[in-house]
Amino acid sequence: MRPLQLTMQAFGPYINKTTIDFESLGIGSVYLITGDTGSGKTMIFDAIVFALYGTASGEGRSNDLLRSRSAGPDESTFVELLFEYHGKKYLVRRNPEYMRKSKRGTGETSEKASAELHFLDGRPSISGLVEVNNQLESIIGINKDQFTQIAMIAQGDFLKILRADTKERIETFSRIFNTKNYRILQEKIKSDCSVYDGEVKKLRDKIIQNCESITPAVDDESKLDYWLSLKNVDDISEIIELIDVAIAENKEELKINEEQNLLKDKSLQSLNEEIGRLENLLALKKDLENKKKDYANNLEAYNLLQKSYDAKKLLVPENDKKKLQIEKLQSFYPQYDELEQNNAEHAKNSKNLNDVIKALSIQKSNVEKLENEIKSFNDELLQLKDVDVDLVKIEHSIDQINKTNEEYIDLNKEYQSYRLIKIELAKAQADAEKAILASNVKSEEYNKKNTEFLKNQAGILAKNLKPGKSCPVCGSINHPKPATLTDSTISKEALEKLKNQSNEFEKKA
């Protein structure tokens, strides 16, 4: 922020309208204001701070003391500041609350505090204390306390920023130099590093776990001991390097084994061929032995059959005689077959008749039973004619009841949560109202006592004023309305204690 022009009227020691043209001082970023004590140096900075933030720069100067005590009742008190920020110009005008001559009648009335902000780039102006304060703080980027710590070296106030805690200094410089994006980037990098560290640890643990399940096929015991010891080291690259070496050695050994296996396969193939040839010879030998046994057995059977044939050949005449008897008996076969067939048909017919009668009786009984069952089924069918419709209605009613029950359970849960929140909110509101009320009481008490204390200080200084000698506060040699002592006897220590109490109540509120 670069001030361009400052105008004050009836503000502190500046009774008449006074304009300071900073542009005539050049484009430097540092201005030096010098002068005797009480000549109004600090009041210039108070005017700039009041224009930007609506309060004086120091803690000991309240807004009701900003109006010049020597100002006439018709003179208005105001401050105008033209400043430039990031290549854009702004004009802000403020006045504190003060008593002025009434426009009607002879009494006095209160002129309320007001503020206006004009944008010189064509945007519409805004007014109102809160609106102007928020807009100016948004434009400049720092609050009043930060501005007073960095914008002016005034009677040791700059030491406050040096004595501030680390958090407060970080916040102040971050807003001044707009390092928020860098802080976000730093936190993002830190978060990513934490994530990557976790992933690296997981991968390392997985590698170690896999290494524990590996036992390299090495003959050298010292190399095996070294391999086992690497499972406990932190440098994963050593383990990976040894694994690569072991893999290369295993590949070479595998290649040798494959060549040896190929030679063994060839030898095995020749051996299998020889075994096959021998097995064929053994099979032929066994087949020959079996055929020899079959020949011996067949020869023995042939001899037995020959003997049997010779014996039966002697019985041929007797057999011829029996053959004639058989032929005679066979001539009676047709008569016997016919008689047997007739007997069989008679028996069969008798049996079939009985079976038919019995079957008809059983069928009749079954028909009667079936008719009764059909009649009962038809009766039940008439009774159950509308059962499907009733069943659908009942199932629909059950679904509605279940749905209503679930809705009731959900609403009951929400109602119980609402009751708890309402009770907690009422309690919090009551506590907040009590704290705000106590804070307002303490704040009013402190403001009243502070004003009385400051007036007494002014009265003490005015008591020693002499005509023709300059005032240590405003530097004027004329003293038309010197301040007088009040009846208040509050000490600075009591005032400071009251201020601390007011701050404590304000924090609680």
Side-chain angles (χ1 to χ4, degrees):
M1 192 282 294
R2 179 170 173 262
L4 302 178
Q5 183 175 294
L6 177 66
T7 301
M8 300 170 286
Q9 178 175 300
F11 191 81
Y14 299 96
I15 302 174
N16 300 321
K17 185 175 181 180
T18 304
T19 299
I20 301 175
D21 186 8
F22 291 98
E23 288 189 284
S24 63
L25 302 178
I27 59 173
S29 58
V30 178
Y31 301 104
L32 176 63
I33 301 175
T34 63
D36 295 334
T37 301
S39 60
K41 301 185 299 298
T42 304
M43 213 63 190
I44 295 175
F45 189 63
D46 279 343
I48 295 175
V49 175
F50 176 73
L52 294 175
Y53 297 101
T55 59
S57 62
E59 296 180 354
R61 296 182 291 278
S62 59
N63 286 1
D64 56 351
L65 298 178
L66 295 179
R67 177 173 170 82
S68 176
R69 293 183 178 275
S70 301
D74 295 332
E75 292 179 307
S76 59
T77 298
F78 70 90
V79 172
E80 281 186 355
L81 174 64
L82 176 65
F83 68 93
E84 182 181 20
Y85 190 74
H86 287 328
K88 295 182 180 181
K89 293 183 179 181
Y90 306 88
L91 176 65
V92 58
R93 177 188 175 98
R94 286 185 190 268
N95 66 270
E97 183 176 1
Y98 63 91
M99 299 301 295
R100 61 169 175 80
K101 184 178 179 181
S102 178
K103 296 180 180 179
R104 298 179 182 179
T106 58
E108 289 186 341
T109 186
S110 173
E111 178 72 21
K112 300 297 182 182
S114 64
E116 299 175 2
L117 177 61
H118 302 277
F119 302 94
L120 303 188
D121 57 1
R123 286 181 288 169
S125 303
I126 61 175
S127 59
L129 297 178
V130 176
E131 292 80 3
V132 172
N133 288 345
N134 293 337
Q135 187 65 36
L136 283 172
E137 187 167 339
S138 175
I139 292 171
I140 299 174
I142 55 177
N143 57 32
K144 179 246 182 182
D145 293 333
Q146 294 167 336
F147 181 82
T148 56
Q149 288 176 336
I150 65 174
M152 185 187 78
I153 304 176
Q155 300 177 358
D157 286 346
F158 188 71
L159 292 177
K160 291 181 180 179
I161 192 171
L162 300 178
R163 295 172 180 171
D165 57 31
T166 303
K167 182 178 179 182
E168 186 177 353
R169 286 202 302 271
I170 290 174
E171 181 180 355
T172 301
F173 289 125
S174 175
R175 296 185 64 181
I176 294 170
F177 299 109
N178 194 21
T179 61
K180 179 181 178 181
N181 292 334
Y182 299 103
R183 186 176 72 253
I184 294 174
L185 178 61
Q186 181 183 9
E187 292 175 353
K188 179 68 167 57
I189 292 174
K190 183 178 180 181
S191 176
D192 291 344
C193 287
S194 177
V195 173
Y196 294 145
D197 287 341
E199 292 180 356
V200 169
K201 185 178 183 302
K202 289 180 181 178
L203 291 175
R204 180 187 178 281
D205 293 341
K206 190 173 182 180
I207 291 172
I208 294 299
Q209 184 179 1
N210 291 332
C211 287
E212 290 177 350
S213 62
I214 297 175
T215 302
V218 294
D219 298 330
D220 189 352
E221 293 185 359
S222 61
K223 184 181 290 188
L224 179 60
D225 293 339
Y226 177 65
W227 164 263
L228 296 175
S229 66
L230 279 177
K231 297 178 182 178
N232 300 320
V233 301
D234 294 331
D235 191 357
I236 301 300
S237 61
E238 294 185 29
I239 299 176
I240 296 175
E241 183 179 354
L242 190 61
I243 290 174
D244 292 337
V245 173
I247 291 173
E249 292 177 351
N250 288 336
K251 285 183 178 179
E252 186 66 27
E253 186 176 356
L254 180 61
K255 183 178 180 182
I256 296 172
N257 291 334
E258 288 177 350
E259 293 176 353
Q260 293 177 352
N261 290 334
L262 184 60
L263 295 174
K264 290 179 180 179
D265 289 340
K266 291 181 179 179
S267 299
L268 182 61
Q269 185 178 358
S270 300
L271 183 60
N272 287 333
E273 292 176 355
E274 184 66 22
I275 291 173
R277 190 177 66 81
L278 293 175
E279 287 178 349
N280 290 332
L281 292 174
L282 289 174
L284 291 174
K285 181 181 179 183
K286 187 176 181 180
D287 186 49
L288 181 59
E289 291 177 350
N290 290 332
K291 287 180 178 181
K292 286 181 179 181
K293 289 180 180 180
D294 292 339
Y295 174 76
N297 293 331
N298 291 332
L299 182 60
E300 184 179 358
Y302 172 77
N303 292 331
L304 291 174
L305 289 173
Q306 186 65 40
K307 290 179 180 181
S308 176
Y309 173 75
D310 293 340
K312 289 180 179 181
K313 190 176 179 181
L314 298 174
L315 298 176
V316 169
E318 183 68 26
N319 289 336
D320 291 338
K321 185 178 181 180
K322 290 182 179 180
K323 184 177 179 181
L324 291 174
Q325 293 177 355
I326 289 172
E327 291 176 354
K328 185 177 181 179
L329 290 173
Q330 286 178 346
S331 63
F332 293 104
Y333 278 178
Q335 298 177 7
Y336 176 77
D337 291 339
E338 183 179 358
L339 180 62
E340 190 176 64
Q341 185 178 2
N342 291 332
N343 290 332
E345 287 180 0
H346 176 73
K348 183 178 180 181
N349 290 333
S350 299
K351 184 180 180 180
N352 288 340
L353 181 61
N354 293 329
D355 290 342
V356 169
I357 293 171
K358 184 183 291 186
L360 287 174
S361 177
I362 293 172
Q363 289 295 330
K364 183 179 180 181
S365 176
N366 290 336
V367 168
E368 291 176 354
K369 184 178 180 181
L370 184 61
E371 288 177 351
N372 293 331
E373 291 179 355
I374 291 172
K375 182 179 179 182
S376 300
F377 177 76
N378 289 332
D379 295 339
E380 292 178 0
L381 189 62
L382 289 175
Q383 294 177 1
L384 299 175
K385 181 176 61 175
D386 299 328
V387 71
D388 291 339
V389 178
D390 295 338
L391 183 61
V392 171
K393 290 182 180 180
I394 292 171
E395 290 177 349
H396 180 69
S397 300
I398 292 173
D399 292 339
Q400 290 294 113
I401 292 171
N402 291 335
K403 184 176 180 182
T404 304
N405 188 41
E406 292 175 357
E407 292 177 353
Y408 169 75
I409 293 173
D410 294 338
L411 288 174
N412 187 46
K413 290 180 180 178
E414 293 181 1
Y415 174 70
Q416 296 299 329
S417 301
Y418 166 75
R419 286 188 61 224
L420 294 176
I421 294 173
K422 187 176 181 182
I423 293 172
E424 293 177 357
L425 179 61
K427 183 179 179 181
Q429 287 178 342
D431 294 341
E433 289 175 358
K434 291 180 182 179
I436 291 172
L437 181 61
S439 174
N440 291 337
V441 171
K442 282 294 180 182
S443 179
E444 290 178 2
E445 182 181 358
Y446 167 72
N447 291 333
K448 181 178 179 182
K449 294 295 183 181
N450 185 46
T451 302
E452 292 177 357
F453 177 78
L454 294 175
K455 288 182 178 180
N456 272 342
Q457 296 299 312
I460 293 172
L461 293 174
K463 185 177 180 181
N464 298 321
L465 290 177
K466 293 182 180 181
K469 291 187 177 181
S470 61
C471 174
V473 177
C474 64
S476 176
I477 60 175
N478 297 319
H479 319 296
K481 294 181 179 180
T484 59
L485 290 171
T486 64
D487 296 333
S488 176
T489 59
I490 186 169
S491 64
K492 184 176 181 180
E493 290 76 11
L495 183 65
E496 187 67 24
K497 183 177 180 181
L498 187 60
K499 178 184 177 182
N500 293 334
Q501 293 177 353
S502 176
N503 290 336
E504 290 295 327
F505 277 97
E506 186 176 356
K507 290 179 181 178
K508 293 179 180 179

